[in-house]
Amino acid sequence: MNITELTALLRECAGADEMVDLEGDVLDVPFADLGYDSLAVLQTTGRIERDYAVSLDEEAVAEAETPRAYLEIVNSELSSRTGA
């Protein structure tokens, strides 16, 4: 999963703050600064788990404060699932 896919899912699951440019370099911007709270991240996590048939570590997801950290968790799980 890449940042474009993640931001699209965030928008679908929780909407988007019109004041935040999700098209920019947001990998290291905290979710809170992007207008997403823990519930938004939780909703996105549920969607990823359903769409990709994976189970993400709840503690790790809760500690991921930026899209980069979140993507590392997601991609690690996706890689282990496919054996890549």
Side-chain angles (χ1 to χ4, degrees), residues 33-71:
D33 292 351
L34 295 173
Y36 295 108
D37 61 12
S38 59
L39 181 57
V41 175
L42 182 63
Q43 290 172 324
T44 302
T45 299
R47 174 76 180 273
I48 290 169
E49 289 180 330
R50 283 190 305 277
D51 289 355
Y52 293 92
V54 296
S55 180
L56 300 174
D57 181 322
E58 291 178 29
E59 273 188 49
V61 166
E63 292 175 8
E65 295 182 6
T66 65
R68 182 184 307 274
Y70 186 83
L71 284 170

Side-chain angles (χ1 to χ4, degrees), residues 4 6-8 11-14 16 23-25 27 33 35 42 45 56-57 60 67-68 76 78 80-81:
T4 303
L6 177 58
T7 55
R11 284 185 183 117
E12 286 179 34
C13 294
E23 301 303 321
D25 184 12
L27 277 171
D33 292 351
L42 182 63
T45 299
L56 300 174
D57 181 322
R68 182 184 307 274
S76 175
L78 291 176
S80 69
R81 188 193 76 181

